[in-house]
Each structure stands twice: as structure tokens, then as C-alpha cells.
Amino acid sequence: MTSTIDPKSIGRPVHPRRRHVRTLTGYLPEKDASGKEKWPKGDEKVWKAGMRGLDTDVESITKSFVNHVQTSLARQAYNLDDLGAYQAAALSARDNLLVNWNKTQIEYMRKAPKRAYYLSLEFLMGRTLDNALLNLGLKDQFSEGIQRLGFSMEDILDQERDAGLGNGGLGRLAACYLDSSASQELPLWGYGLRYKYGIFQQLISPEGNQLEAPDPWLNHQNPWELPRIDVTYEVRFYGQSQRFHDGTPRASWTGGQEVLAIAYDVMIPGYSTTTTNNLRLWESKPKRGFDLNSFNVGKELRLKQQYFWTAASLADILRRFKNLGKAISEFPEYVAIQLNDTHPTLAIPELMRILIDEEDLSWDKAWNIVTNTFFYTNHTVLPEALEKWPVDLIEHVLPRHMQIIYDIVSSFFFSFPVSYLRFFLQAVEKKYPMDRDRLARMSLIEEGHPKQVRMAYLACIGSRKVNGVAELHSELVQTTILKDFVEFEGISNYPSSLARSGTVLFVISHCRMLTPRLQCNHELSALISKTLKLDKDVWLKDLTKLEGLLPFAEDKAFRKEWAAIKQRNKERLAHHVQVTLGLTVNTNAMFDVQIKRLHEYKRQTLNILGVIHRYLTLKNMTPAQRKKVNNRVVFFAGKAAPAYYIAKLTIRLIVNVARIINADPDTKDYLTLYFLPDYSVSLAEVLIPASDISQHISTAGTEASGTSNMKFCLNGGLLLGTVDGANIEIAEEVGESNVCDAVEDLRHEHLYHPMPIEQKCPALAHVLNQVSAGLFGDGEVYEPLLNTIRQGDYYLITDDFDSYIAALTMVDEAYSDKEEWIKKSIRTTAKMGKFSSDRAINEYAEGYWNIEKTPVTKN
């Protein structure tokens, strides 16, 4: 006899399909009859004698450092360089984080609170060591210990690479929320992907073109992640899905290919608290020879990437819930899942699949659980930017999920607050008879070639609450992409929190933008603590206390200290430019900064055309006139998507304009321009504290929020901005107000009643003509970029250019009164309390997820 297998069973999941085997780690001890906890193995006293606590004094820190040099790195003092010293210091700090991490997880398991889970395809974490030491309150002790061992903390910190886990504001927001959730002692975990490569390393060619090089950020050991080889899940792609014909919505998904999802944990320490939460990242491993080496290339693989991450995360969340021994119907009472944009939306049909196919729930019960578990954050008001997936692609890669999506379309019952059920599309038809256009607009499936699934709609109808990322953004969502849904049920009912929820999301994290809860402006932080006579632990957890700075705007001595700190931050940025680019920066000039992902709607084009206008104006002045001009240094930083031709042309124009004006003896003392390549969180931490003015000039109605504006303001920088995104609410806080133009009306005029630029905006026409004439290199190269303005001008450069130049002139006039400028700077910082990520995460906890603080005892 031998073991046998039925070939027909190969590829068929054993019900229930989700199987997970892990070690005993993470479970609570058993109790005896009297209720006393039993020690699981060996001699309890021996175990406890060997357990370590936190290393908080210099001697224990240096001992831990040397121990890691010897045993973790297999090196010694004779052959230890700065990189090795960084690794040893990071491992020593991680030991402390792990002690607190274990305490936190045990506390969560003992108390079994409702937990929230933040699903984001990006987490723009930046560097970790400095932030970890600051949150642990051990920066000074580590600095002294490292100095005794012959190293400089500053040199060691420079060895760390930014984690390649994100790109823009969406990822930075997610990172801020993780930091704030731990600082506010909230039980929240993040789930993401462990990318082996970052977005790309940005290089600039001799011609000024952006070049993209791989960013293998994991080439060196990453000391901040903890591989969990005992936490793995199988994730299926392709195959066949066969429905059961037993009167239930169940089906069997078999065949295809499977990969393993392996967990890597990153500890997230809270500021001035023991609470240390977790970011769990998933890496794919081949199963039976199947590999996903090109996991982030191509549309099909991007879909697989999104499903892989959401499926593994849901399996992990369900496993943790089942450890509580609760009925599956109680899932929403213990779990809240936030979808950060549409990327994790596949979690909705995936949870339906698990509940129906593996838990044997009816459709109604499963849908009720789903719609009380998920929450969705919309990040865009641009219809073309809303994520859609071709139906045939989903059917090919995820056949069971396409069945479920069709079921939602055709058999979807929607639970409204007034406690009744409606057949959704039938209800729409009843309310708007024969309005087939409306039915088509509201369907999850967009007709066309190919048919596509509207992921934003799926996220909306599958979530308990939906929110935007700024007040204006929420209003635009109501009147554009979700207009039909709002009209159908009314603004108070659908989405139930959209009307004012935008103010929840648009936030900054002072965890990195105002030290010592972050590292980039420690002198300003110290001055604030001294002036407010408050311990930093107090005001850093309640930024509304910054309003106490308002009276000091009239204090001359305080203004002098404030200005001196700004000047030293400008000198730090100048030093960075000197070291990295070999260029000298005039630190006595105004620093004008725009740091954003390159995109036409963000209008870096408007900025660089304004720089050219300023240069041409200076060239036409006499030397005596130039001496009266406000000196300005302009900084750009940001990456363009590799395939975004127009955005990459903008970078080329910026670089080549800089070459001309920085070398012009007539103007270089009054205007200089720098493009700082390979923008990252670490670079932002140098740029933001140094800015006098920052530009946030997106076309009105296109920027969902923007978050860099808040970081600049918190660091005492003033804004030059359009009436868009978060600029509006910042203006309300600092006392400014404006009115938004009718953007669509202007676009209509451009399309049907075009006017020559020479007639409409002569100043802009002159600038464009100079570029075309070759003042900054081959003019023909820039014609595709210039024609986006000359023909159609979708982002309204011609409408705004004159007022933009006038605003720059107003900035120059304001900056000439240095004392009044410093007062504005102080008042701006003082009014930033509303935009704290701590405040926002608490509003999420109370108004959305219904989770409570779960403090962790230190002992």
C-alpha cells in the first residue's frame, strides 16, 4: 500500500481554503482552575531572569551596539565603517522597539479591543532611525554612546536610505496616520507591499532629461523589518470558478496558479508612549516554480499585485479575529478596514468570497458584514484618474471576483440608514423612470470596448462611510464623480459622511515636520517649548497649543530668534546643495520652493514660465534698477512618471533655464534656480524648514488636497496658492479668503471661442516665444509642451498668468518688510493646530472606526 491522490482534486482547495500554520508566538497563556496564568515552558524564573528590558542609559546602549557589531554583523572595531555603525545602532534601537512591540501586542490580545486596519499601496516612511530614537526619547543617550564609540550620529543617520515604499502624498499620509495612531495609543495596523525596488532613482542627463534608474533600497540589510516566516498565506490567480447549483451564491474557485504571501513586520513607535503598532508588508514567494519577479510591471501584474496584497491582508485579519473565538457575524464589531484610495478595493469582493464560499453565509448576511467593515477615502476629483479595470482582465486573473462583482451589479441590496432594503438599480429606475443614461452612469460596469469595472463606485457602495481629503474636494466629489449617488439618496444619506468628512483627512504629520517628534526643525521646536513654557510632550500631542505663540509675534526679541532659526535652516539647505550638486546658493535671498510630483495640473509649468518672465524683466532693467529688486532663489524638486512626456519636458525646461540664468552675470545675483533631483522625504526635511514662500498653484478644482502646504506652514513658511484643495482651509485658518473661478466655463471658452495668446496675455506670449526661439536650448524640443498652452490650455495657464505674476510682485513687496514678514511666519505656524494628523486620526477613531484608545503599561 501507498498514499494515493485523485488527480481531479489537484488544484482544488480543501474547504475551508484558508490554512495558516504559525508558531505559538502571539497567544496568551493558559489559566489553571483558579484563574492563574500557567507558564508555558520550562522554569518561569529562568525565563524571566533572561528577559530584557529597555536600554535607556548610555552604558547599556553602547553594550548593545558592540554586541550587534560582534554577533549580528560579525565585525569588530578595526573594520567597522559608518554603514556598519548605522546598522548596529539601528539594531540596538530596534531591540527597544521590539520590547515595546511585544508589550503592545500582548495588551491588545488581553483586552481584545476593536481594531482598525489601514490598507494602503504606499507608505512613504522616510528614514527610520532618527524618528525611532526621538519617539523613544533616547536621542541624546544614543548620540553620546555613539560618540564614545568613535562615530558621529549625524554621519550615521546619513547612511540610512529612504524606504522605497511610496511616492507621493497618498503614501506620506498613510505613514503619518501610522505614527499618529501609535502616539494616540490606538489599536491600528497598516498593511502594504514589501517592494524590492522603490519608484525609481531620478537622474538628470546632460541635456536636462529625467533618467530613471532602479532604486534597490533593500540591497543592504534592512534592520527595521522583522521577517515572519511563520506567517504565510496562499494566494490564487487564474483558474476556473464554478457556481454551486444548490440555491446559494457559493462557488468553487480552483486551478490556476498560487503564490505564497510572506509577512515582514515594521515596528511603528508612538511618541512618548510605550505603544508600538505594526506595519505588515507582504512579499511574494514562488510556489512550485511559479515566480513573480516582475511583480510591479504591466497592467495584469498590477492587478495581481493589488489582489495579492489585499487577499493576504484579509486572511491575516480574519485569522486574528478568529483567535477571539467570536461568531463571524460579529466581525464588524471587532474590525474596521480603511481603504486608502481605490487600490485596495478588491478587498470588498474578496471578503464577500470568503464569507460566502468559505464561511457559508448567505449573500445578505455577507454583504451586511462587508458594508459595516470597510471605509473608503477618495483621493482624486479627476475622472480620468479614477481607477478602472477591464472586465475581461479581471475575469482572466480573478474569475470568482468578477462573478461577485456581477452579482453586486445585478443582485445588489443596499442597506440604508432608515433600515430597509432596496434593489439598487431597480430603485434607481423607479425613481428616475426611463433615465437609461443615469442607470449607465451609476452602474459598476462601464459599457464600452472594453467594458470596465469602476473601482471607485465599488468602494463607495461597499463601504460604510466615504470621505474626501479636503472640504473643497468633498464638495467637488458630491457635484462630479458621485453626483448621481448623492442625488439618488440625498447628501445626508449617501455617502453618509461625505458632506463634511473631508476635513478629517487633510492633515500633516508633525512627527517629521516639527521636531523633536520629528527631526527636521529641532531648533524651532526648542524655541516653541521655551516660549510656551510647555514640555514638548504636551504641545506636540496637541498642536492647538501653538496658538499661544500669537502674542509673541509682537515681541521683537522672539522675532529675532525665529528669524535666526529660519536663516540657519536656509544655510543647511545651501550646504546640502553644495555637497550634493557642487553649487553655491545665496542664503540672503528669499527661498521660493515648489516640491511636488510633476504633473500638468500641479502647474510647475506656470512656475517656470514665471521664472523666465522674471529673468527677462531683470535683463531689461538697468543695474541700478536691479539693485532694488528682491533677490530670489527658486527650488524645484519632484519626479515625473517615466511615461509622462509633457511632465518630463517640464523638468528639461527647468534644468536648462537654470543653466542660463545662473550663469548670466547681469542677473545671477538677483535670481537663481535649482532643480534638486531624486526628491524624497529626507530631502523634504531639508527643503521645508528653509522655505520663505512655497508655491501650491494647481488649477482650481484639480488638487484633492495637497499636504506639503501644511508642512511648509507649520515650519513658518508662507504660501502662494490657488483657491484649491487644502489651500482654502489653510487660508481660513490664517485669515485669508478668496473666490474660485468657474473652471469649466473657462475651458468651454478655450474650446469654442479661442483667443490668440498674444491678444489674451502678451506677457506669456513673449515668454513662450523666447523659449521657442532657443533662448534655453533647442526650442523645437519644447514645442509639445508649449502647444499644450497655445492649443486648448486645459489647465488655464493663459487665464492665470497675469494674476500669478501680480501675486509674485505682492510677495516681493511683502518680503521687503522683514519684520512684518516674520510676524506672518509666526502667525502661520500658530494657526496650524487644525491640520495635525493626531487630530485627524482621533476623528477617524471616534467618527468612523469606533475604536478606543488602548494604553500599554510601561511595566
Side-chain angles (χ1 to χ4, degrees):
M1 293 295 293
T2 185
S3 60
T4 63
I5 185 169
D6 181 358
K8 294 180 180 179
S9 68
I10 296 175
R12 289 184 177 273
V14 178
H15 185 72
R17 186 176 148 265
R18 292 288 176 190
R19 293 168 301 180
H20 170 73
V21 179
R22 66 168 294 160
T23 63
L24 295 176
T25 58
Y27 295 114
L28 294 174
E30 296 180 0
K31 296 181 180 180
D32 59 23
S34 66
K36 182 181 178 182
E37 293 182 352
K38 295 192 296 184
W39 192 255
K41 283 184 181 2
D43 190 320
E44 180 177 356
K45 291 182 179 179
V46 175
W47 271 97
K48 290 189 173 180
M51 293 174 70
R52 58 161 291 161
L54 298 178
D55 292 328
T56 57
D57 60 89
V58 174
E59 183 177 352
S60 64
I61 289 169
T62 55
K63 185 177 180 179
S64 174
F65 180 100
V66 173
N67 176 67
H68 279 296
V69 170
Q70 290 181 295
T71 61
S72 300
L73 306 179
R75 299 174 78 172
Q76 52 187 329
Y78 301 102
N79 64 351
L80 188 68
D81 56 9
D82 282 345
L83 176 60
Y86 157 71
Q87 291 173 318
L91 290 168
S92 299
R94 191 188 78 165
D95 287 345
N96 278 354
L97 295 184
L98 282 170
V99 170
N100 285 343
W101 187 93
N102 276 315
K103 289 179 182 178
T104 303
Q105 306 320 309
I106 290 173
E107 196 76 10
Y108 289 168
M109 284 182 285
R110 288 184 189 278
K111 294 181 178 178
K114 182 177 183 180
R115 299 194 192 199
Y117 299 96
Y118 200 85
L119 270 60
S120 179
L121 200 56
E122 297 183 20
F123 288 92
L124 196 58
M125 306 298 291
R127 294 175 176 174
T128 301
L129 176 57
D130 204 14
N131 192 62
L133 295 179
L134 291 165
N135 282 5
L136 286 166
L138 296 175
K139 178 71 177 289
D140 293 340
Q141 295 91 318
F142 264 77
S143 296
E144 181 180 344
I146 286 169
Q147 184 178 22
R148 289 186 186 180
L149 292 167
F151 293 93
S152 160
M153 175 61 81
E154 184 176 347
D155 292 339
I156 285 177
L157 293 175
D158 283 341
Q159 295 299 312
E160 183 175 359
R161 295 186 65 169
D162 283 47
L165 298 174
N167 176 29
L170 179 144
R172 186 68 204 122
L173 181 75
C176 292
Y177 279 162
L178 292 189
D179 178 276
S180 285
S181 69
S183 298
Q184 295 299 309
E185 301 178 322
L186 294 168
L188 179 143
W189 275 28
Y191 278 102
L193 279 170
R194 183 179 184 260
Y195 299 105
K196 292 182 179 179
Y197 293 89
I199 177 174
F200 58 80
Q201 181 185 5
Q202 183 190 53
L203 305 172
I204 303 298
S205 75
E207 298 78 22
N209 294 321
Q210 172 183 286
L211 304 177
E212 300 89 27
D215 178 23
W217 72 283
L218 289 173
N219 269 5
H220 299 296
Q221 177 193 21
N222 178 16
W224 303 108
E225 64 182 14
L226 187 68
R228 294 290 194 182
I229 58 174
D230 57 331
V231 181
T232 64
Y233 300 96
E234 298 175 359
V235 179
R236 184 182 304 275
F237 302 108
Y238 311 117
Q240 308 82 35
S241 179
Q242 296 179 336
R243 293 183 183 271
F244 295 156
H245 299 288
D246 58 356
T248 73
R250 291 178 59 220
S252 175
W253 182 21
T254 60
Q257 296 170 321
E258 291 181 329
V259 297
L260 290 178
I262 299 179
Y264 287 75
D265 286 347
V266 178
M267 292 122 273
I268 307 295
Y271 176 71
S272 190
T273 177
T274 302
T275 298
T276 302
N277 285 334
N278 196 53
L279 169 60
R280 177 155 287 179
L281 304 173
W282 299 107
E283 181 179 74
S284 66
K285 292 291 185 183
K287 185 180 180 184
R288 299 187 182 95
F290 179 63
D291 201 354
L292 284 178
N293 284 330
S294 55
F295 207 46
N296 57 350
V297 179
K299 194 162 189 175
E300 179 174 324
L301 289 173
R302 287 201 303 274
L303 178 65
K304 293 169 72 174
Q305 180 185 58
Q306 291 185 10
Y307 176 65
F308 168 83
W309 149 59
T310 55
S313 301
L314 273 177
D316 199 49
I317 292 167
L318 277 159
R319 186 264 309 167
R320 192 171 299 108
F321 167 76
K322 288 191 171 185
N323 286 341
L324 300 175
K326 304 293 183 180
I328 193 68
S329 59
E330 297 183 67
F331 189 72
E333 302 302 315
Y334 289 88
V335 173
I337 300 175
Q338 185 71 40
L339 308 176
N340 191 28
D341 212 354
T342 54
H343 310 125
T345 303
L346 284 169
I348 291 172
E350 170 66 4
L351 183 55
M352 284 295 289
R353 186 196 66 77
I354 294 170
L355 295 175
I356 291 172
D357 296 350
E358 298 181 9
E359 300 297 331
D360 297 330
L361 293 187
S362 68
W363 178 275
D364 291 353
K365 289 181 179 178
W367 188 250
N368 183 63
I369 290 173
V370 166
T371 54
N372 281 288
T373 297
F374 289 105
F375 301 80
Y376 164 55
T377 297
N378 173 276
H379 277 267
T380 183
V381 295
L382 302 176
E384 65 272 19
L386 291 175
E387 190 175 42
K388 301 173 186 176
W389 288 105
V391 167
D392 58 356
L393 179 60
I394 299 179
E395 285 178 330
H396 174 59
V397 178
L398 303 169
R400 178 59 179 135
H401 297 74
M402 196 62 240
Q403 286 179 340
I404 291 171
I405 291 170
Y406 273 131
D407 288 345
I408 293 172
V409 172
S410 61
S411 306
F412 166 46
F413 284 87
F414 195 97
S415 296
F416 292 103
V418 291
S419 302
Y420 62 88
L421 297 175
R422 262 185 211 174
F423 187 49
F424 182 56
L425 292 180
Q426 285 187 359
V428 175
E429 168 65 21
K430 185 176 180 180
K431 187 169 184 177
Y432 304 101
M434 301 303 294
D435 192 344
R436 294 179 180 177
D437 288 341
R438 182 182 294 269
L439 284 173
R441 291 196 305 268
M442 297 180 72
S443 175
L444 294 185
I445 308 297
E446 180 181 78
E447 297 297 328
H449 302 284
K451 293 182 179 180
Q452 300 199 90
V453 178
R454 294 162 163 154
M455 303 306 284
Y457 287 10
L458 179 58
C460 285
I461 66 176
S463 297
R464 183 175 179 180
K465 291 188 177 182
V466 179
N467 67 284
V469 291
E471 185 172 342
L472 175 63
H473 175 218
S474 290
E475 293 173 359
L476 288 170
V477 167
Q478 293 163 24
T479 57
T480 56
I481 59 175
L482 292 182
K483 178 182 178 182
D484 291 318
F485 292 89
V486 173
E487 289 178 352
F488 175 58
E489 270 304 308
I491 197 168
S492 62
N493 290 333
Y494 188 87
S496 57
S497 66
L498 189 60
R500 292 288 298 177
S501 64
T503 55
V504 171
L505 188 59
F506 97 43
V507 298
I508 43 167
S509 171
H510 44 289
C511 59
R512 285 187 178 272
M513 292 305 146
L514 193 62
T515 213
R517 183 151 163 207
L518 59 103
Q519 55 263 43
C520 80
N521 208 342
H522 59 90
E523 282 193 87
L524 186 61
S525 175
L527 176 62
I528 291 171
S529 293
K530 181 183 75 172
T531 303
L532 296 179
K533 294 182 172 57
L534 290 174
D535 188 272
K536 61 191 179 186
D537 293 354
V538 176
W539 66 267
L540 277 172
K541 286 196 170 186
D542 181 7
L543 283 191
T544 60
K545 296 191 182 301
L546 288 176
E547 291 200 18
L549 294 174
L550 288 173
F552 293 93
E554 303 301 325
D555 185 319
K556 188 173 183 178
F558 179 75
R559 292 199 302 272
K560 184 177 180 181
E561 289 187 83
W562 188 277
I565 291 170
K566 176 65 72 175
Q567 182 62 31
R568 285 191 288 273
N569 285 328
K570 293 167 76 169
E571 291 166 0
R572 181 174 65 151
L573 173 56
H575 176 73
H576 173 84
V577 173
Q578 175 66 45
V579 170
T580 57
L581 302 180
L583 302 173
T584 301
V585 177
N586 176 14
T587 58
N588 293 318
M590 169 190 279
F591 279 19
D592 180 342
V593 181
Q594 187 179 22
I595 47 174
K596 293 178 180 290
R597 175 171 51 90
L598 267 289
H599 198 292
E600 288 169 274
Y601 83 82
K602 293 180 182 289
R603 299 206 294 190
Q604 286 92 347
T605 306
L606 177 61
N607 190 347
I608 188 58
L609 295 177
V611 172
I612 296 171
H613 179 272
R614 189 180 187 89
Y615 170 66
L616 297 174
T617 302
L618 285 168
K619 288 290 286 181
N620 287 328
M621 289 181 176
T622 65
Q625 289 173 322
R626 291 183 194 128
K627 290 181 180 179
K628 299 178 182 179
V629 170
N630 174 39
N631 298 341
R632 188 183 294 249
V633 179
V634 180
F635 295 94
F636 285 88
K639 297 180 180 181
Y644 198 163
Y645 180 61
I646 296 300
K648 294 175 79 170
L649 269 185
T650 304
I651 291 176
R652 177 167 177 160
L653 180 60
I654 293 168
V655 172
N656 285 298
V657 170
R659 286 176 175 157
I660 297 299
I661 68 175
N662 291 0
D664 192 320
D666 294 335
T667 63
K668 66 179 182 179
D669 292 336
Y670 310 102
L671 175 65
T672 49
L673 169 65
Y674 302 92
F675 184 86
L676 306 186
D678 209 29
Y679 179 63
S680 63
V681 173
S682 299
L683 179 55
E685 290 170 0
V686 180
L687 274 163
I688 289 173
S691 76
D692 292 305
I693 191 82
S694 61
Q695 299 205 28
H696 310 269
I697 51 177
S698 56
T699 307
T702 60
E703 184 72 87
S705 171
T707 54
S708 64
N709 42 15
M710 309 163 202
K711 298 163 191 170
F712 281 105
C713 288
L714 187 62
N715 282 269
L718 275 62
L719 302 186
L720 175 63
T722 50
V723 185
D724 196 30
N727 292 345
I728 297 172
E729 287 161 88
I730 291 175
E732 290 174 353
E733 288 298 300
V734 299
E736 298 287 338
S737 62
N738 288 289
V739 179
C740 185
D741 290 325
V743 171
E744 292 305 319
D745 291 344
L746 290 172
R747 286 175 177 155
H748 180 85
E749 288 295 311
H750 288 189
L751 184 61
Y752 296 104
H753 306 286
M755 180 184 298
I757 295 180
E758 288 75 11
Q759 180 180 346
K760 183 176 183 179
C761 186
L764 177 60
H766 179 57
V767 169
L768 298 182
N769 291 337
Q770 289 297 308
V771 176
S772 294
L775 182 58
F776 306 105
D778 185 357
E780 289 188 9
V781 170
Y782 302 112
E783 286 304 306
L785 170 62
L786 303 182
N787 285 339
T788 64
I789 303 170
R790 290 171 173 149
Q791 302 168 10
D793 190 20
Y794 186 79
Y795 295 103
L796 310 184
I797 302 292
T798 56
D799 294 278
D800 289 349
F801 188 77
D802 286 341
S803 60
Y804 174 66
I805 297 301
L808 290 172
T809 301
M810 292 172 59
V811 170
D812 287 332
E813 293 171 355
Y815 193 73
S816 64
D817 186 344
K818 293 296 193 299
E819 288 298 313
E820 188 59 34
W821 184 273
I822 296 168
K823 290 180 184 180
K824 292 178 186 290
S825 172
I826 295 168
R827 292 172 187 143
T828 298
T829 297
K831 298 296 291 185
M832 285 297 104
K834 172 181 177 180
F835 306 103
S836 161
S837 55
D838 286 352
R839 175 199 61 79
I841 204 70
N842 280 320
E843 288 192 20
Y844 265 122
E846 297 170 11
Y848 285 61
W849 307 328
N850 193 28
I851 63 174
E852 297 180 351
K853 294 189 177 188
T854 308
V856 179
T857 56
K858 290 189 177 182
N859 297 320

